[in-house]
Amino acid sequence: MRDTATGKETQLTRDGVKEFGYATDNAGWIHSDSPILLWSPDSKKIATFQMDERGTGDMYLVSTNVGHPRLEALEASRCRAIPGSS
Amino acid sequence: MIERVVIDVDRARVVRLQMPPDPHRSSVCDDVECSGPFEDVEWSADGRQVAFLPTSRDHKEAHLRVADTDSGRVRQVLEEKVATYYESGNDAHNWRFLPASNEVIWFSERDNWGQLYLYDLQTGRLKNQITTGEGTSRSCSGWMRRTVSSTSAASARRRVAIRISFISIGSDSMGRT
């Protein structure tokens, strides 16, 4: 969290790890580096989640563009769990 | 799967809600963020409670739950189970958490059209159906906390065109304007 007035940053969570991170927006082809959360009306609390993606497999995106397509290997943490994933 | 948490930002304290992990789903799309913020989550004004709606991966079940944000304790208010696919609204969820009046506005297609219903937040009992008739209540776009009146855009079916009419309706289904 960054205080927009002072620029001071505060670490809110400490046990997030790769594929088990907080507020992650990385499950599927729609993904971003912004956290998914909802502030309480008094701005004292945040509702969010820690997403467990361990046990999911890799997925790939192929671009549609003029010329040769680009193959983007999505990290496991960026793919959507499919039937059979734990 | 997601493990729901509430973070007290001043104390950097993480409260994990006391429940099993939920599928990465919402009642609006196949994600927890559709076209707005974290979907299917509503706060009480004082921040002491948060309501949320775990949805099954196949969208056949949704469970409205309320958590105490200090203790992480969770209780279930009501659930919706359908044979096909439960969606609580178009673009955004259509249910409303109204702790001030101890009520919930709930969206269901159980009478064949999407309608709004009023539930008791504490007991989970149905108080009354708010909207009726042919046409879907597309969005519960506003309400007044004191009088608990909701405004819904009801789409009425027509042979050629789909007309969307804005109506204001009292939550006891009286006072339709």
Side-chain angles (χ1 to χ4, degrees):
Chain A
M1 177 181 66
R2 184 168 71 235
D3 188 317
T4 54
T6 63
K8 186 192 169 211
E9 288 196 353
T10 307
Q11 183 171 350
L12 296 177
T13 63
R14 297 187 178 275
D15 61 347
V17 294
K18 183 176 165 63
E19 297 180 19
F20 195 29
Y22 285 93
T24 48
D25 183 12
N26 59 10
W29 50 88
I30 298 173
H31 47 260
S32 75
D33 291 332
S34 299
I36 297 178
L37 51 82
L38 191 69
W39 283 94
S40 63
D42 60 5
S43 298
K44 297 283 189 192
K45 291 177 180 175
I46 291 168
T48 185
F49 54 86
Q50 186 175 18
M51 180 153 67
D52 194 349
E53 300 167 287
R54 299 168 294 187
T56 62
D58 286 348
M59 300 278 269
Y60 301 91
L61 284 179
V62 179
S63 67
T64 56
N65 55 277
V66 176
H68 295 288
R70 292 182 305 275
L71 179 64
E72 183 186 2
L74 301 180
E75 294 172 17
S77 61
R78 281 207 164 178
C79 86
R80 179 181 293 271
I82 60 172
S85 299
S86 59
Chain B
M1 305 290 275
I2 61 168
E3 299 182 11
R4 295 177 188 269
V5 299
V6 169
I7 303 172
D8 180 326
V9 295
D10 288 338
R11 290 187 287 172
R13 172 174 172 252
V14 178
V15 175
R16 200 159 297 256
L17 303 194
Q18 295 173 21
M19 56 183 287
D22 278 331
H24 186 261
R25 283 288 184 277
S26 70
S27 68
V28 180
C29 70
D30 270 355
D31 207 329
V32 293
E33 183 185 51
C34 303
S35 51
F38 190 15
E39 192 58 73
D40 276 336
V41 178
E42 296 214 344
W43 281 94
S44 62
D46 61 9
R48 295 174 69 177
Q49 297 180 87
V50 66
F52 54 97
L53 185 68
T55 294
S56 64
R57 187 177 177 132
D58 60 7
H59 293 273
K60 292 182 191 297
E61 289 186 28
H63 304 265
L64 184 69
R65 291 175 178 152
V66 174
D68 178 303
T69 58
D70 281 326
S71 68
R73 275 196 299 272
V74 174
R75 71 178 183 87
Q76 177 148 323
V77 178
L78 61 93
E79 64 180 20
E80 182 90 11
K81 292 185 179 177
V82 300
T84 52
Y85 194 102
Y86 177 71
E87 243 178 358
S88 80
N90 299 89
D91 302 325
H93 66 262
N94 218 351
W95 58 272
R96 291 293 181 271
F97 177 49
L98 306 173
S101 62
N102 197 35
E103 290 169 316
V104 174
I105 293 176
W106 184 246
F107 177 84
S108 173
E109 294 177 317
R110 71 188 62 154
D111 83 345
N112 202 34
W113 290 100
Q115 309 285 9
L116 299 177
Y117 296 80
L118 189 68
Y119 276 83
D120 185 300
L121 177 63
Q122 207 58 44
T123 65
R125 288 205 190 97
L126 177 65
K127 296 176 87 167
N128 57 268
Q129 186 167 346
I130 299 171
T131 62
T132 56
E134 293 198 348
T136 288
S137 294
R138 289 172 53 88
S139 65
C140 182
S141 52
W143 72 98
M144 293 163 67
R145 268 179 202 282
R146 294 237 169 101
T147 60
V148 202
S149 73
S150 65
T151 306
S152 63
S155 59
R157 232 188 185 185
R158 292 293 179 269
R159 190 182 285 175
V160 182
I162 294 174
R163 188 185 71 175
I164 296 178
S165 54
F166 288 87
I167 62 170
S168 176
I169 196 163
S171 57
D172 59 356
S173 86
M174 304 296 283
R176 187 169 176 154
T177 54

